[in-house]
Amino acid sequence: MSEPLKAAKTGSGLSVTYLGHASALINLDGRYVLTDPNLNPRLGLARRRNHPGPAWESLSAIDLVIISHAHLDHLDKFTLRKLARTTLFLVPPGVGITIKRLGFENVTELELWQTISAGGLQVTAVPAKHWGARFILDIWRGCCGFVLKADAGQVYFAGDTDYFPGFKEIGKRFNLDIALLPIGTYSPRLLLDRYHLNPEEAIQAFADLNARYMVPIHWGTFRLSAEPLDEPLAWLKSLARSNGLQERILILEPGQTSDRASACYK
């Protein structure tokens, strides 16, 4: 099962390998970034519904890990323990302490709009409309998205977010090639409307960002909300057809890799 990761890690350029939920492997000029790693077969009572594809032992070559916030489904200790202790992490304020307690020392917390060079890339923390507490009382933790920049292009990783005006600001500040946007965990809207995008809102966010391609994430892996597990992707495909976006939305199955020139719309 390690072939998809090996394919993603050959050569330079720009590619994305989707691993399920909000986890993806991004290749920018031969630098490899892992997003919100969660390869756990379970999340509490929720059973994983797809296989992440790559073998865990292949994850030791990661150059950088970015974590958008400390929620259990985005900061998974089971998965992080599979990584080398020398791994470089970029996280929002208040999240670093949890990573360091697992034995990682190379951890940097970024304020919103802060840009640093890390792992051979330029990385900027950007706003998200979500919240960062891991448990009920630790409301001091932050949350964010990230923009990764290299000669090969620019990639936006949203993490978790609801729709908000910040997408337009991000689109103005960057020339995005690929936007990784969440499309699931949106029902019931009465409870989740302020925290998660639904597919229609993701399409609007994609337009605001003015990115060339969109890779949908946060779908089909864990059932964490009331909508059927297959509904977000079916809804997104319908919207893509009606808006003429079939060639710009890259739908990747877990373990599948796409570069920015090849649409995997089905």
Side-chain angles (χ1 to χ4, degrees):
M1 297 298 293
S2 61
E3 287 306 312
L5 185 57
K6 290 181 180 178
K9 292 181 67 61
T10 56
S12 59
L14 170 57
S15 66
V16 174
T17 302
Y18 186 47
L19 306 179
H21 204 52
S23 302
L25 179 70
I26 301 168
N27 167 18
L28 272 166
D29 284 338
R31 302 289 184 175
Y32 301 97
V33 182
L34 191 60
T35 71
D36 287 3
N38 188 339
L39 308 182
N40 203 322
R42 302 196 69 88
L43 182 62
L45 297 177
R47 177 175 56 85
R48 191 181 189 97
R49 302 302 181 94
N50 53 41
H51 193 282
W56 286 351
E57 57 267 23
S58 299
L59 297 180
S60 60
I62 297 300
D63 295 292
L64 172 65
V65 174
I66 53 177
I67 295 182
S68 62
H69 62 298
H71 286 177
L72 299 179
D73 57 324
H74 290 254
L75 195 168
D76 179 61
K77 293 182 178 181
F78 175 84
T79 303
L80 295 187
R81 290 189 178 102
K82 306 294 181 180
L83 300 174
R85 292 300 179 267
T86 56
T87 300
L88 172 62
F89 285 83
L90 296 182
V91 301
V95 177
I97 187 172
T98 300
I99 309 298
K100 291 179 178 179
R101 284 173 176 168
L102 296 175
F104 299 98
E105 297 183 357
N106 201 356
V107 182
T108 299
E109 295 185 350
L110 295 185
E111 300 291 339
L112 292 181
W113 299 117
Q114 182 180 354
T115 300
I116 67 170
S117 295
L121 303 171
Q122 183 175 308
V123 185
T124 303
V126 296
K129 187 182 177 184
H130 201 61
W131 85 104
R134 188 166 180 84
F135 302 106
I136 296 175
L137 298 179
D138 56 350
I139 57 175
W140 42 268
R141 297 182 192 265
C143 65
C144 69
F146 294 91
V147 173
L148 310 169
K149 187 176 180 180
D151 290 341
Q154 301 181 25
V155 178
Y156 166 60
F157 169 66
D160 257 349
T161 184
D162 186 21
Y163 181 77
F164 74 124
F167 291 121
K168 291 183 179 180
E169 181 64 25
I170 295 168
K172 290 177 182 177
R173 295 195 185 206
F174 300 96
N175 183 22
L176 299 173
D177 290 279
I178 297 178
L180 281 72
L181 290 169
I183 63 169
T185 317
Y186 50 76
S187 181
R189 294 305 283 164
L190 183 64
L191 295 177
L192 298 174
D193 180 62
R194 294 176 294 170
Y195 306 117
H196 293 123
L197 294 172
N198 64 31
E200 185 173 16
E201 292 165 332
I203 291 289
Q204 182 59 57
F206 180 41
D208 291 351
L209 291 162
N210 197 29
R212 291 171 177 81
Y213 297 98
M214 169 184 166
V215 172
I217 60 173
H218 215 280
W219 60 271
T221 303
F222 300 107
R223 185 165 186 181
L224 303 178
S225 52
E227 79 270 7
L229 204 61
D230 59 352
E231 180 180 279
L233 194 58
W235 187 0
L236 182 69
K237 289 180 178 181
S238 176
L239 290 169
R241 286 190 294 269
S242 61
N243 289 278
L245 295 173
Q246 297 96 317
E247 300 304 314
R248 295 180 59 201
I249 296 180
L250 314 182
I251 297 176
L252 306 177
E253 298 294 332
Q256 185 178 10
T257 301
S258 175
D259 61 35
R260 61 182 172 184
S262 62
C264 294
Y265 178 85
K266 297 180 180 178

